[in-house]
Amino acid sequence: MYIENHMDVLGMGRRQLQPWNTVGASMPYMEPIVPIRIGDYTRTHSLLPWRPNVGFENTEVIPLAPRSISNYALDTSGKMATRPLKFPNLITGYQRNPVHASQAALYTRYTPHEWFQKQVKYYNEADSQRHYSERMRGDALRIIRDAEEKIQHGQYDTNRRLGERISDVTFWRNEVASELERMLHEIERLQDCRGVLEKAIRDIEGPLHIAEECLYHREARKSTELVHDDSEKCLLREVENLRANQKKLEACLDRCKDQLRNCRASQNQLELDLKNKESALGIDTVCHHLHNQSHGLQYYSGVEKYDPCVSEQETWADAANKIVQRSQTERNKSCQLRTTAENLVNKVSQEMWNSWSSTNSALAHRSSELLEAKSKLQQHLQKVQQEIYDVEKNLELMRKAIADKSYATKVAHTRMEARMHRPDMELCRDYAYASLQKEIDEINHQLERMHKTLKELENQHQKLLRTRTMLEHDLALKIDAIYIDREKVCGLRRAYPVNALFRF
């Protein structure tokens, strides 16, 4: 029996998680019982906070009053007296007093009737509480079933309504998306028409206007690319042109811009309505897919009392229909305007002619020089970029190495902090403590070295970035100059001859 109790105590001690120290911990309750003998006393253990006392008998010594109770004799009914009470000796054992025990038993017991009445009372109380509990359990089960049925019906009805709403929103979303796609195509064609009109207005001004436009575009070059080269000299010599039908083309261009503005306004309405419908459809779809086991469910107190709605089912559909109808009207106007502009440009293009080949040759030669300079800059930029990539890889490796050292630092700090909770004399500055201090100092030293190296790498990285920025800036100037000479100027001059270049 002693071995079994001892094993139970050890098992319970392992399963209980104890604090680091016992400061402020309350002592367990000790019930006073009959003292044990010396033989049994050697098998007990000291009461420690981290070991349970289940299965062991505890003793409590109650100090005697200054005047010993043994000096008094027990007097019952004034007729008999017993011998003085003898208290047990906690060291040598317990000496019994059977006479006193038998005498006291006559005055400390209940009658059998009282005992029987008490048992009957307890039985009745247990029956009453059990019957009441059975009724409560039955009512609780009925309430649970009724609530589950009503809530499931409500969720089913809400899911059905959400499905109908998703169908309606999907229909109008598709209508708006289709109309938006048609409007985008029409705006694109109208933008092409506006470009042709602008180009035609420039072309009809003759060689003088073309030269001025090319000079204007070349003035957009930056920094050292503003070179007074042969191309600019040729453009300065090209100063003659005819002005014809300018007002008609400009008026048509203004109408095209106004119509384009109206089309973009309709596009904006369609995009906004489509975005709102996509958002609403996504929200309704998510709500439709929610169920009782979904993740992210939350309580929102009072949300059912707030009504943010701004439209009804009928007004919502009517608003979407009006947006689509306005877009269709603007598309029809844009189509008519494009037909008018095409006829006008084709008529004006027959009256334009001039010589411009020499200027184009100079521009082509200048473009070849810019391309060669651009190629060399790109080679140097590629080398610098590769070096930046290598430095960035080293930076990442260094940062990762520094981050990895945090685990070792945490381990050392955790060990140091945990060892601070050793009790009393166990809080020793031993070799492990010195080793932990040395380990932390070494980690801090290595981290300092790594941070210093990281700072140097970052400085070098910044220098490489500045070099790359300088090369990229010069390359951007070259690209910008090439774009101006080849795309804007040459492109403008390629479209200048009077032929079938002004078609949609």
Side-chain angles (χ1 to χ4, degrees), residues 20-50:
W20 285 104
N21 53 54
T22 59
V23 177
S26 61
M27 295 296 293
Y29 173 77
M30 294 186 297
E31 179 181 3
I33 62 174
V34 179
I36 60 177
R37 299 182 181 275
I38 296 177
D40 296 334
Y41 181 77
T42 58
R43 293 182 295 176
T44 60
H45 62 83
S46 300
L47 293 179
L48 297 177
W50 53 272

PDB file of all heavy atoms in Angstrom, residues 20-50:
ATOM      1  N   TRP A  20       8.053  29.096 -10.818  1.00  0.00           N
ATOM      2  CA  TRP A  20       9.498  29.130 -10.626  1.00  0.00           C
ATOM      3  C   TRP A  20       9.856  29.196  -9.132  1.00  0.00           C
ATOM      4  O   TRP A  20      10.802  28.592  -8.659  1.00  0.00           O
ATOM      5  CB  TRP A  20      10.097  30.334 -11.353  1.00  0.00           C
ATOM      6  CG  TRP A  20      10.164  30.150 -12.822  1.00  0.00           C
ATOM      7  CD1 TRP A  20       9.358  30.704 -13.758  1.00  0.00           C
ATOM      8  CD2 TRP A  20      11.073  29.354 -13.569  1.00  0.00           C
ATOM      9  NE1 TRP A  20       9.698  30.319 -15.001  1.00  0.00           N
ATOM     10  CE2 TRP A  20      10.761  29.482 -14.916  1.00  0.00           C
ATOM     11  CE3 TRP A  20      12.140  28.536 -13.208  1.00  0.00           C
ATOM     12  CZ2 TRP A  20      11.479  28.850 -15.909  1.00  0.00           C
ATOM     13  CZ3 TRP A  20      12.852  27.896 -14.218  1.00  0.00           C
ATOM     14  CH2 TRP A  20      12.516  28.047 -15.545  1.00  0.00           C
ATOM     15  N   ASN A  21       9.154  29.980  -8.355  1.00  0.00           N
ATOM     16  CA  ASN A  21       9.448  30.101  -6.938  1.00  0.00           C
ATOM     17  C   ASN A  21       8.163  30.006  -6.162  1.00  0.00           C
ATOM     18  O   ASN A  21       7.065  30.015  -6.726  1.00  0.00           O
ATOM     19  CB  ASN A  21      10.187  31.426  -6.651  1.00  0.00           C
ATOM     20  CG  ASN A  21       9.409  32.597  -7.214  1.00  0.00           C
ATOM     21  OD1 ASN A  21       8.246  32.746  -6.917  1.00  0.00           O
ATOM     22  ND2 ASN A  21      10.058  33.414  -8.045  1.00  0.00           N
ATOM     23  N   THR A  22       8.251  29.969  -4.871  1.00  0.00           N
ATOM     24  CA  THR A  22       7.080  29.742  -4.003  1.00  0.00           C
ATOM     25  C   THR A  22       6.759  30.943  -3.164  1.00  0.00           C
ATOM     26  O   THR A  22       6.107  30.831  -2.131  1.00  0.00           O
ATOM     27  CB  THR A  22       7.344  28.541  -3.095  1.00  0.00           C
ATOM     28  OG1 THR A  22       8.510  28.820  -2.314  1.00  0.00           O
ATOM     29  CG2 THR A  22       7.576  27.276  -3.901  1.00  0.00           C
ATOM     30  N   VAL A  23       7.254  32.123  -3.599  1.00  0.00           N
ATOM     31  CA  VAL A  23       6.987  33.322  -2.806  1.00  0.00           C
ATOM     32  C   VAL A  23       5.516  33.670  -2.915  1.00  0.00           C
ATOM     33  O   VAL A  23       4.982  33.807  -4.018  1.00  0.00           O
ATOM     34  CB  VAL A  23       7.845  34.488  -3.322  1.00  0.00           C
ATOM     35  CG1 VAL A  23       7.517  35.749  -2.537  1.00  0.00           C
ATOM     36  CG2 VAL A  23       9.319  34.121  -3.166  1.00  0.00           C
ATOM     37  N   GLY A  24       4.852  33.822  -1.831  1.00  0.00           N
ATOM     38  CA  GLY A  24       3.436  34.199  -1.812  1.00  0.00           C
ATOM     39  C   GLY A  24       2.498  33.058  -2.020  1.00  0.00           C
ATOM     40  O   GLY A  24       1.288  33.242  -2.085  1.00  0.00           O
ATOM     41  N   ALA A  25       3.003  31.825  -2.217  1.00  0.00           N
ATOM     42  CA  ALA A  25       2.127  30.679  -2.439  1.00  0.00           C
ATOM     43  C   ALA A  25       1.475  30.276  -1.127  1.00  0.00           C
ATOM     44  O   ALA A  25       2.097  30.251  -0.074  1.00  0.00           O
ATOM     45  CB  ALA A  25       2.933  29.508  -3.012  1.00  0.00           C
ATOM     46  N   SER A  26       0.199  29.946  -1.201  1.00  0.00           N
ATOM     47  CA  SER A  26      -0.552  29.550  -0.003  1.00  0.00           C
ATOM     48  C   SER A  26      -0.300  28.091   0.303  1.00  0.00           C
ATOM     49  O   SER A  26      -0.232  27.252  -0.581  1.00  0.00           O
ATOM     50  CB  SER A  26      -2.038  29.802  -0.223  1.00  0.00           C
ATOM     51  OG  SER A  26      -2.479  29.033  -1.292  1.00  0.00           O
ATOM     52  N   MET A  27      -0.164  27.767   1.610  1.00  0.00           N
ATOM     53  CA  MET A  27       0.054  26.394   2.038  1.00  0.00           C
ATOM     54  C   MET A  27      -1.238  25.608   1.947  1.00  0.00           C
ATOM     55  O   MET A  27      -2.325  26.156   2.159  1.00  0.00           O
ATOM     56  CB  MET A  27       0.570  26.378   3.480  1.00  0.00           C
ATOM     57  CG  MET A  27       1.942  27.028   3.633  1.00  0.00           C
ATOM     58  SD  MET A  27       3.214  26.129   2.740  1.00  0.00           S
ATOM     59  CE  MET A  27       3.222  24.621   3.692  1.00  0.00           C
ATOM     60  N   PRO A  28      -1.174  24.335   1.578  1.00  0.00           N
ATOM     61  CA  PRO A  28      -2.408  23.539   1.485  1.00  0.00           C
ATOM     62  C   PRO A  28      -3.020  23.320   2.865  1.00  0.00           C
ATOM     63  O   PRO A  28      -2.376  23.369   3.896  1.00  0.00           O
ATOM     64  CB  PRO A  28      -1.928  22.221   0.875  1.00  0.00           C
ATOM     65  CG  PRO A  28      -0.485  22.151   1.261  1.00  0.00           C
ATOM     66  CD  PRO A  28       0.021  23.562   1.236  1.00  0.00           C
ATOM     67  N   TYR A  29      -4.338  23.040   2.837  1.00  0.00           N
ATOM     68  CA  TYR A  29      -5.072  22.806   4.093  1.00  0.00           C
ATOM     69  C   TYR A  29      -4.638  21.479   4.691  1.00  0.00           C
ATOM     70  O   TYR A  29      -4.553  20.468   4.003  1.00  0.00           O
ATOM     71  CB  TYR A  29      -6.584  22.788   3.788  1.00  0.00           C
ATOM     72  CG  TYR A  29      -7.401  22.377   4.994  1.00  0.00           C
ATOM     73  CD1 TYR A  29      -7.632  23.274   6.015  1.00  0.00           C
ATOM     74  CD2 TYR A  29      -7.910  21.082   5.077  1.00  0.00           C
ATOM     75  CE1 TYR A  29      -8.386  22.895   7.093  1.00  0.00           C
ATOM     76  CE2 TYR A  29      -8.674  20.704   6.164  1.00  0.00           C
ATOM     77  CZ  TYR A  29      -8.907  21.606   7.183  1.00  0.00           C
ATOM     78  OH  TYR A  29      -9.655  21.247   8.260  1.00  0.00           O
ATOM     79  N   MET A  30      -4.356  21.463   6.030  1.00  0.00           N
ATOM     80  CA  MET A  30      -3.909  20.249   6.726  1.00  0.00           C
ATOM     81  C   MET A  30      -4.939  19.880   7.778  1.00  0.00           C
ATOM     82  O   MET A  30      -5.258  20.684   8.662  1.00  0.00           O
ATOM     83  CB  MET A  30      -2.542  20.498   7.388  1.00  0.00           C
ATOM     84  CG  MET A  30      -1.419  20.744   6.361  1.00  0.00           C
ATOM     85  SD  MET A  30       0.178  20.845   7.167  1.00  0.00           S
ATOM     86  CE  MET A  30      -0.108  22.306   8.176  1.00  0.00           C
ATOM     87  N   GLU A  31      -5.516  18.721   7.576  1.00  0.00           N
ATOM     88  CA  GLU A  31      -6.550  18.271   8.507  1.00  0.00           C
ATOM     89  C   GLU A  31      -5.897  17.550   9.687  1.00  0.00           C
ATOM     90  O   GLU A  31      -5.101  16.623   9.506  1.00  0.00           O
ATOM     91  CB  GLU A  31      -7.495  17.308   7.790  1.00  0.00           C
ATOM     92  CG  GLU A  31      -8.587  16.786   8.693  1.00  0.00           C
ATOM     93  CD  GLU A  31      -9.473  15.829   7.947  1.00  0.00           C
ATOM     94  OE1 GLU A  31      -9.182  15.567   6.774  1.00  0.00           O
ATOM     95  OE2 GLU A  31     -10.446  15.332   8.536  1.00  0.00           O
ATOM     96  N   PRO A  32      -6.163  17.976  10.889  1.00  0.00           N
ATOM     97  CA  PRO A  32      -5.557  17.299  12.062  1.00  0.00           C
ATOM     98  C   PRO A  32      -6.108  15.898  12.243  1.00  0.00           C
ATOM     99  O   PRO A  32      -7.314  15.682  12.264  1.00  0.00           O
ATOM    100  CB  PRO A  32      -5.954  18.202  13.227  1.00  0.00           C
ATOM    101  CG  PRO A  32      -7.155  18.911  12.769  1.00  0.00           C
ATOM    102  CD  PRO A  32      -7.025  19.068  11.287  1.00  0.00           C
ATOM    103  N   ILE A  33      -5.243  14.942  12.333  1.00  0.00           N
ATOM    104  CA  ILE A  33      -5.652  13.544  12.544  1.00  0.00           C
ATOM    105  C   ILE A  33      -4.790  12.977  13.669  1.00  0.00           C
ATOM    106  O   ILE A  33      -3.913  13.636  14.240  1.00  0.00           O
ATOM    107  CB  ILE A  33      -5.518  12.709  11.251  1.00  0.00           C
ATOM    108  CG1 ILE A  33      -4.049  12.679  10.822  1.00  0.00           C
ATOM    109  CG2 ILE A  33      -6.360  13.287  10.168  1.00  0.00           C
ATOM    110  CD1 ILE A  33      -3.807  11.789   9.660  1.00  0.00           C
ATOM    111  N   VAL A  34      -5.003  11.696  13.950  1.00  0.00           N
ATOM    112  CA  VAL A  34      -4.284  11.034  15.029  1.00  0.00           C
ATOM    113  C   VAL A  34      -2.821  10.945  14.663  1.00  0.00           C
ATOM    114  O   VAL A  34      -2.486  10.589  13.524  1.00  0.00           O
ATOM    115  CB  VAL A  34      -4.853   9.626  15.278  1.00  0.00           C
ATOM    116  CG1 VAL A  34      -4.074   8.918  16.387  1.00  0.00           C
ATOM    117  CG2 VAL A  34      -6.319   9.751  15.647  1.00  0.00           C
ATOM    118  N   PRO A  35      -1.904  11.292  15.502  1.00  0.00           N
ATOM    119  CA  PRO A  35      -0.471  11.233  15.164  1.00  0.00           C
ATOM    120  C   PRO A  35      -0.065   9.828  14.818  1.00  0.00           C
ATOM    121  O   PRO A  35      -0.646   8.840  15.269  1.00  0.00           O
ATOM    122  CB  PRO A  35       0.210  11.717  16.443  1.00  0.00           C
ATOM    123  CG  PRO A  35      -0.837  12.465  17.182  1.00  0.00           C
ATOM    124  CD  PRO A  35      -2.125  11.813  16.843  1.00  0.00           C
ATOM    125  N   ILE A  36       0.934   9.757  13.992  1.00  0.00           N
ATOM    126  CA  ILE A  36       1.423   8.441  13.550  1.00  0.00           C
ATOM    127  C   ILE A  36       2.554   8.006  14.477  1.00  0.00           C
ATOM    128  O   ILE A  36       3.140   8.792  15.222  1.00  0.00           O
ATOM    129  CB  ILE A  36       1.911   8.501  12.098  1.00  0.00           C
ATOM    130  CG1 ILE A  36       3.054   9.515  11.980  1.00  0.00           C
ATOM    131  CG2 ILE A  36       0.806   8.900  11.175  1.00  0.00           C
ATOM    132  CD1 ILE A  36       3.643   9.602  10.615  1.00  0.00           C
ATOM    133  N   ARG A  37       2.843   6.737  14.357  1.00  0.00           N
ATOM    134  CA  ARG A  37       3.927   6.210  15.187  1.00  0.00           C
ATOM    135  C   ARG A  37       5.274   6.460  14.508  1.00  0.00           C
ATOM    136  O   ARG A  37       5.352   6.899  13.366  1.00  0.00           O
ATOM    137  CB  ARG A  37       3.715   4.707  15.422  1.00  0.00           C
ATOM    138  CG  ARG A  37       2.416   4.399  16.153  1.00  0.00           C
ATOM    139  CD  ARG A  37       2.260   2.915  16.399  1.00  0.00           C
ATOM    140  NE  ARG A  37       1.014   2.640  17.076  1.00  0.00           N
ATOM    141  CZ  ARG A  37       0.835   2.698  18.402  1.00  0.00           C
ATOM    142  NH1 ARG A  37       1.860   3.025  19.174  1.00  0.00           N
ATOM    143  NH2 ARG A  37      -0.333   2.437  18.952  1.00  0.00           N
ATOM    144  N   ILE A  38       6.311   6.122  15.256  1.00  0.00           N
ATOM    145  CA  ILE A  38       7.651   6.409  14.754  1.00  0.00           C
ATOM    146  C   ILE A  38       7.924   5.607  13.499  1.00  0.00           C
ATOM    147  O   ILE A  38       8.515   6.095  12.542  1.00  0.00           O
ATOM    148  CB  ILE A  38       8.702   6.087  15.839  1.00  0.00           C
ATOM    149  CG1 ILE A  38       8.495   7.014  17.022  1.00  0.00           C
ATOM    150  CG2 ILE A  38      10.114   6.214  15.286  1.00  0.00           C
ATOM    151  CD1 ILE A  38       9.430   6.731  18.180  1.00  0.00           C
ATOM    152  N   GLY A  39       7.442   4.353  13.461  1.00  0.00           N
ATOM    153  CA  GLY A  39       7.674   3.523  12.276  1.00  0.00           C
ATOM    154  C   GLY A  39       7.030   4.122  11.036  1.00  0.00           C
ATOM    155  O   GLY A  39       7.589   4.128   9.952  1.00  0.00           O
ATOM    156  N   ASP A  40       5.793   4.640  11.195  1.00  0.00           N
ATOM    157  CA  ASP A  40       5.097   5.271  10.052  1.00  0.00           C
ATOM    158  C   ASP A  40       5.684   6.636   9.747  1.00  0.00           C
ATOM    159  O   ASP A  40       5.598   7.129   8.619  1.00  0.00           O
ATOM    160  CB  ASP A  40       3.605   5.398  10.346  1.00  0.00           C
ATOM    161  CG  ASP A  40       2.968   4.042  10.485  1.00  0.00           C
ATOM    162  OD1 ASP A  40       3.489   3.078   9.896  1.00  0.00           O
ATOM    163  OD2 ASP A  40       1.923   3.966  11.154  1.00  0.00           O
ATOM    164  N   TYR A  41       6.216   7.312  10.729  1.00  0.00           N
ATOM    165  CA  TYR A  41       6.717   8.668  10.527  1.00  0.00           C
ATOM    166  C   TYR A  41       7.895   8.688   9.562  1.00  0.00           C
ATOM    167  O   TYR A  41       8.089   9.637   8.822  1.00  0.00           O
ATOM    168  CB  TYR A  41       7.134   9.253  11.876  1.00  0.00           C
ATOM    169  CG  TYR A  41       7.651  10.665  11.761  1.00  0.00           C
ATOM    170  CD1 TYR A  41       6.754  11.718  11.604  1.00  0.00           C
ATOM    171  CD2 TYR A  41       9.019  10.932  11.803  1.00  0.00           C
ATOM    172  CE1 TYR A  41       7.226  13.007  11.495  1.00  0.00           C
ATOM    173  CE2 TYR A  41       9.488  12.205  11.698  1.00  0.00           C
ATOM    174  CZ  TYR A  41       8.594  13.264  11.541  1.00  0.00           C
ATOM    175  OH  TYR A  41       9.049  14.535  11.429  1.00  0.00           O
ATOM    176  N   THR A  42       8.670   7.628   9.556  1.00  0.00           N
ATOM    177  CA  THR A  42       9.835   7.590   8.666  1.00  0.00           C
ATOM    178  C   THR A  42       9.416   7.437   7.217  1.00  0.00           C
ATOM    179  O   THR A  42      10.212   7.670   6.308  1.00  0.00           O
ATOM    180  CB  THR A  42      10.747   6.436   9.054  1.00  0.00           C
ATOM    181  OG1 THR A  42      10.014   5.218   8.994  1.00  0.00           O
ATOM    182  CG2 THR A  42      11.319   6.658  10.445  1.00  0.00           C
ATOM    183  N   ARG A  43       8.167   7.039   6.961  1.00  0.00           N
ATOM    184  CA  ARG A  43       7.719   6.838   5.575  1.00  0.00           C
ATOM    185  C   ARG A  43       7.035   8.059   4.986  1.00  0.00           C
ATOM    186  O   ARG A  43       6.589   8.044   3.872  1.00  0.00           O
ATOM    187  CB  ARG A  43       6.767   5.633   5.501  1.00  0.00           C
ATOM    188  CG  ARG A  43       7.481   4.311   5.801  1.00  0.00           C
ATOM    189  CD  ARG A  43       6.513   3.164   5.654  1.00  0.00           C
ATOM    190  NE  ARG A  43       5.434   3.233   6.652  1.00  0.00           N
ATOM    191  CZ  ARG A  43       4.407   2.367   6.684  1.00  0.00           C
ATOM    192  NH1 ARG A  43       4.336   1.389   5.796  1.00  0.00           N
ATOM    193  NH2 ARG A  43       3.489   2.472   7.608  1.00  0.00           N
ATOM    194  N   THR A  44       6.840   9.087   5.785  1.00  0.00           N
ATOM    195  CA  THR A  44       6.210  10.321   5.266  1.00  0.00           C
ATOM    196  C   THR A  44       7.263  11.198   4.628  1.00  0.00           C
ATOM    197  O   THR A  44       8.453  10.961   4.768  1.00  0.00           O
ATOM    198  CB  THR A  44       5.479  11.082   6.376  1.00  0.00           C
ATOM    199  OG1 THR A  44       6.430  11.428   7.369  1.00  0.00           O
ATOM    200  CG2 THR A  44       4.393  10.223   6.995  1.00  0.00           C
ATOM    201  N   HIS A  45       6.809  12.228   3.993  1.00  0.00           N
ATOM    202  CA  HIS A  45       7.722  13.164   3.328  1.00  0.00           C
ATOM    203  C   HIS A  45       7.428  14.564   3.822  1.00  0.00           C
ATOM    204  O   HIS A  45       6.367  14.841   4.372  1.00  0.00           O
ATOM    205  CB  HIS A  45       7.549  13.109   1.788  1.00  0.00           C
ATOM    206  CG  HIS A  45       6.187  13.507   1.340  1.00  0.00           C
ATOM    207  ND1 HIS A  45       5.829  14.816   1.175  1.00  0.00           N
ATOM    208  CD2 HIS A  45       5.113  12.759   1.052  1.00  0.00           C
ATOM    209  CE1 HIS A  45       4.595  14.859   0.796  1.00  0.00           C
ATOM    210  NE2 HIS A  45       4.127  13.642   0.704  1.00  0.00           N
ATOM    211  N   SER A  46       8.356  15.454   3.634  1.00  0.00           N
ATOM    212  CA  SER A  46       8.157  16.858   4.018  1.00  0.00           C
ATOM    213  C   SER A  46       7.118  17.501   3.098  1.00  0.00           C
ATOM    214  O   SER A  46       7.037  17.198   1.898  1.00  0.00           O
ATOM    215  CB  SER A  46       9.485  17.619   3.897  1.00  0.00           C
ATOM    216  OG  SER A  46      10.458  17.058   4.739  1.00  0.00           O
ATOM    217  N   LEU A  47       6.352  18.394   3.675  1.00  0.00           N
ATOM    218  CA  LEU A  47       5.317  19.082   2.872  1.00  0.00           C
ATOM    219  C   LEU A  47       5.980  20.170   2.042  1.00  0.00           C
ATOM    220  O   LEU A  47       6.437  21.187   2.574  1.00  0.00           O
ATOM    221  CB  LEU A  47       4.259  19.687   3.796  1.00  0.00           C
ATOM    222  CG  LEU A  47       3.402  18.677   4.555  1.00  0.00           C
ATOM    223  CD1 LEU A  47       2.424  19.388   5.451  1.00  0.00           C
ATOM    224  CD2 LEU A  47       2.666  17.786   3.585  1.00  0.00           C
ATOM    225  N   LEU A  48       6.054  19.906   0.767  1.00  0.00           N
ATOM    226  CA  LEU A  48       6.629  20.900  -0.148  1.00  0.00           C
ATOM    227  C   LEU A  48       5.552  21.411  -1.103  1.00  0.00           C
ATOM    228  O   LEU A  48       4.657  20.653  -1.491  1.00  0.00           O
ATOM    229  CB  LEU A  48       7.768  20.272  -0.962  1.00  0.00           C
ATOM    230  CG  LEU A  48       8.972  19.794  -0.118  1.00  0.00           C
ATOM    231  CD1 LEU A  48       9.984  19.125  -1.018  1.00  0.00           C
ATOM    232  CD2 LEU A  48       9.592  20.965   0.637  1.00  0.00           C
ATOM    233  N   PRO A  49       5.644  22.684  -1.536  1.00  0.00           N
ATOM    234  CA  PRO A  49       4.585  23.211  -2.420  1.00  0.00           C
ATOM    235  C   PRO A  49       4.489  22.496  -3.736  1.00  0.00           C
ATOM    236  O   PRO A  49       3.452  22.482  -4.362  1.00  0.00           O
ATOM    237  CB  PRO A  49       5.009  24.674  -2.605  1.00  0.00           C
ATOM    238  CG  PRO A  49       5.926  24.965  -1.462  1.00  0.00           C
ATOM    239  CD  PRO A  49       6.620  23.683  -1.144  1.00  0.00           C
ATOM    240  N   TRP A  50       5.586  21.910  -4.220  1.00  0.00           N
ATOM    241  CA  TRP A  50       5.549  21.286  -5.542  1.00  0.00           C
ATOM    242  C   TRP A  50       5.228  19.807  -5.497  1.00  0.00           C
ATOM    243  O   TRP A  50       5.253  19.132  -6.511  1.00  0.00           O
ATOM    244  CB  TRP A  50       6.890  21.500  -6.251  1.00  0.00           C
ATOM    245  CG  TRP A  50       8.087  21.078  -5.452  1.00  0.00           C
ATOM    246  CD1 TRP A  50       8.774  21.823  -4.569  1.00  0.00           C
ATOM    247  CD2 TRP A  50       8.728  19.810  -5.485  1.00  0.00           C
ATOM    248  NE1 TRP A  50       9.788  21.127  -4.046  1.00  0.00           N
ATOM    249  CE2 TRP A  50       9.790  19.871  -4.599  1.00  0.00           C
ATOM    250  CE3 TRP A  50       8.497  18.630  -6.176  1.00  0.00           C
ATOM    251  CZ2 TRP A  50      10.629  18.804  -4.379  1.00  0.00           C
ATOM    252  CZ3 TRP A  50       9.329  17.559  -5.957  1.00  0.00           C
ATOM    253  CH2 TRP A  50      10.399  17.640  -5.053  1.00  0.00           C
TER     254      TRP A  50
END
